[in-house]
Amino acid sequence: MNQVSTTLLVIGGGPGGYVAAIRAGQLGIKTVLVEAATPGGTCLNIGCIPSKALIHAAEEFDKAKHYADGSALGIMAGAPAIDVGRTVQWKDGIVKRLTSGVGALLKKNDVQVINGFARILDGKTVEVKGGDGELLRVRCEHLLLASGSEPSELPFMPFGGMVVSSTEALSPADVPRRLVVVGAGYIGLELGTAYRKLGAEVTVVEAAERILPAYDAELTKPVGAALKRLGVELRLGSSVLGLNADGDGVRVKDANGQETVLAADRVLVAVGRRPRSAGFGLESLQLDMNGRAVKIDDQCRTSMRNVWAIGDLTGEPMLAHRAMAQGEMVAEIISGKRRHFTPNAIAAVCYTDPEVVVVGLSPLDAEKAGLDVISANFPFAANGRAMTIESTDGFVRVVARRDNHLILGWQAVGRGVSELSTAFGQSIELGATLEDIAGTIHAHPTLGEAVQEAALRALGHALHI
């Protein structure tokens, strides 16, 4: 059996793993990256990037339909059509360009990429099985686990046939006439909205009493209103029992115990993701765990010396940008730098229509923490830029301490608010106060003016409301 020795061995080429490998290479650390598929992981290949591409295509198609019979803008167009095959090709082209770029960066920084399936033998030895069945043993000083996560499936309705995960939903051969989405979290609503705009009849089934149950209710109201306008049917407070006997419908039980069958040509199960901690010998290390997630400290160290873990494998929040920051940090610690992973806030974005952004504490979070806070929001209905892009639903909200006005959190819902997340995160990381934001001149006309106006309103003197 061939053997390779390295300083750092990274298992998993997703955002966390490839960033760690690139940074390690920049720092002169001999690095090997093992990835079974194409570098880029779930995010670039079957997650963040392709889903946003599909969402954009669906939005443009829906916009064209909106103009088919004329509009207040004076635009008139004929009835549009969409070639889903070409849409998928376009989406795949974006993915290929990005993953090729990652591969080029790894090569540029002298990272050795091994394509194959890793199996951990011990904390310093990993066996890799290539596509041709050939085995390679890799010895390392440091082992970084970055295996990511995988879609959770329902035991009584496993993936296969008409039951799909987000992976299959992002590469459709066609648009189903009737789609049932199980789960009203961000994945279910993002893809459910896209499919509705592409022409499918969409029904969303959710066990909780409202959509996006991880977000506060005020933020989700504009999303619910938009779903209603689109014609998406919501079955809230309902549980899925499985497929019916004929295999052409989903059995659903409501809060009163009444069972009905929802006709379906395809079923998207989007009930969350779980750490990918099985199937590659992780159990042999006997690491401390939090359920299926690997337990780490604020340097991403596991309970075994020189074994590190980052990203979705370590549990919530399962965000690509968190994994990237952790991967960069681990590489720098191995190189001898002093680093700790202690962010004040990490933005979470839901790419529904309208979008939802959460950074830091909400008013309810602050209340639970026993903090005395001021919170204020500014509606996009009073924002000139929002009016010019026909998107006045939603608002920006700020949360700050009452005593010193230190900003603790931001929330926003509206078209394009994902682009405000950077400003939100920076204000919290830099320790900004309400006065800092209120006193910063914001360009006009922009959606960002709502950020300044929310701070002004918290101080008691908003100008445009």
Side-chain angles (χ1 to χ4, degrees):
M1 183 184 295
N2 292 328
Q3 185 165 303
V4 172
S5 294
T6 188
T7 302
L8 172 63
L9 170 59
V10 183
I11 297 180
Y18 81 68
V19 166
I22 288 171
R23 184 63 181 131
Q26 291 174 343
L27 293 165
I29 300 169
K30 187 178 181 182
T31 304
V32 170
L33 172 68
V34 178
E35 169 57 50
T38 305
T42 293
C43 182
L44 265 64
N45 289 284
I46 54 173
C48 319
I49 298 301
S51 67
K52 304 315 165 281
L54 186 66
I55 288 167
H56 173 68
E59 172 64 25
E60 293 303 299
F61 181 55
D62 186 62
K63 190 182 297 182
K65 289 190 293 183
H66 175 67
Y67 295 142
D69 297 321
S71 74
L73 278 67
I75 299 173
M76 293 172 284
I82 188 167
D83 182 341
V84 175
R86 287 186 62 184
T87 303
V88 172
Q89 286 179 359
W90 169 75
K91 178 264 297 181
D92 290 344
I94 294 172
V95 170
K96 186 175 181 180
R97 289 199 297 275
L98 288 171
T99 54
S100 296
V102 170
L105 288 170
L106 291 166
K107 184 177 181 180
K108 174 185 174 182
N109 290 286
D110 299 319
V111 176
Q112 181 181 355
V113 178
I114 299 175
N115 189 251
F117 292 89
R119 184 164 189 82
I120 298 170
L121 302 181
D122 57 47
K124 294 190 178 297
T125 314
V126 171
E127 189 175 270
V128 182
K129 184 177 182 180
D132 56 2
E134 185 178 345
L135 294 178
L136 174 68
R137 185 161 290 181
V138 184
R139 294 277 299 169
C140 62
E141 294 177 32
H142 295 269
L143 176 61
L144 174 56
L145 308 173
S147 55
S149 61
E150 59 195 3
S152 298
E153 67 178 358
L154 299 172
F156 51 84
M157 201 164 63
F159 297 128
M162 69 182 292
V163 181
V164 302
S165 70
S166 56
T167 301
E168 295 78 27
L170 289 171
S171 295
D174 55 26
V175 177
R177 187 166 72 86
R178 299 165 301 185
L179 174 70
V180 172
V181 178
V182 183
Y186 75 95
I187 296 174
L189 291 190
E190 285 182 2
L191 292 179
T193 298
Y195 269 83
R196 177 61 190 140
K197 290 181 177 180
L198 290 172
E201 297 175 13
V202 177
T203 302
V204 179
V205 183
E206 168 59 47
E209 294 297 328
R210 61 183 182 86
I211 61 171
L212 297 172
Y215 295 80
D216 74 59
E218 189 178 5
L219 277 175
T220 65
K221 285 178 182 177
V223 179
L227 291 170
K228 185 176 181 180
R229 286 194 301 270
L230 276 173
V232 174
E233 182 183 356
L234 298 175
R235 295 290 189 98
L236 304 177
S238 300
S239 56
V240 169
L241 304 177
L243 297 179
N244 63 348
D246 293 334
D248 60 0
V250 180
R251 295 167 50 224
V252 176
K253 183 171 67 175
D254 64 21
N256 297 320
Q258 184 175 352
E259 184 178 327
T260 56
V261 175
L262 301 176
D265 302 298
R266 199 167 301 162
V267 182
L268 168 60
V269 175
V271 293
R273 298 184 65 84
R274 61 189 182 188
R276 186 179 284 113
S277 54
F280 60 100
L282 179 64
E283 64 279 358
S284 68
L285 300 181
Q286 297 185 341
L287 302 177
D288 290 347
M289 305 287 287
N290 286 324
R292 295 177 62 97
V294 175
K295 189 175 182 180
I296 56 171
D297 66 8
D298 66 359
Q299 291 187 308
C300 294
R301 299 179 187 271
T302 70
S303 56
M304 179 177 285
R305 184 174 178 271
N306 288 348
V307 176
W308 316 73
I310 61 174
D312 290 5
L313 178 63
T314 63
E316 297 290 351
M318 292 188 181
L319 299 167
H321 39 289
R322 168 180 176 258
M324 289 176 173
Q326 289 176 322
E328 179 188 18
M329 180 195 69
V330 169
E332 294 194 349
I333 292 173
I334 291 172
S335 76
K337 297 179 184 291
R338 293 174 62 89
R339 290 285 307 276
H340 291 270
F341 190 74
T342 54
N344 288 322
I346 302 177
V349 182
C350 180
Y351 290 88
T352 45
D353 181 12
E355 296 172 350
V356 180
V357 174
V358 175
V359 189
L361 301 181
S362 69
L364 183 59
D365 294 331
E367 182 182 331
K368 289 179 179 178
L371 298 171
D372 185 17
V373 298
I374 306 168
S375 68
N377 64 32
F378 187 83
F380 284 121
N383 177 271
R385 178 58 176 159
M387 293 179 191
T388 66
I389 61 173
E390 299 183 286
S391 183
T392 54
D393 288 345
F395 58 87
V396 172
R397 180 208 286 154
V398 65
V399 181
R401 290 177 61 111
R402 189 177 299 277
D403 54 0
N404 59 9
H405 294 177
L406 180 71
I407 294 173
L408 303 176
W410 292 96
Q411 297 85 44
V413 55
R415 179 177 294 180
V417 294
S418 57
E419 299 302 329
L420 300 178
S421 60
T422 300
F424 293 162
Q426 286 177 337
S427 70
I428 295 175
E429 289 294 345
L430 295 175
T433 64
L434 292 172
E435 287 81 359
D436 291 325
I437 304 303
T440 299
I441 298 173
H442 289 61
H444 174 78
T446 63
L447 297 180
E449 289 178 276
V451 177
Q452 181 185 28
E453 289 279 7
L456 284 167
R457 194 174 191 187
L459 293 170
H461 52 88
L463 296 172
H464 289 91
I465 193 171

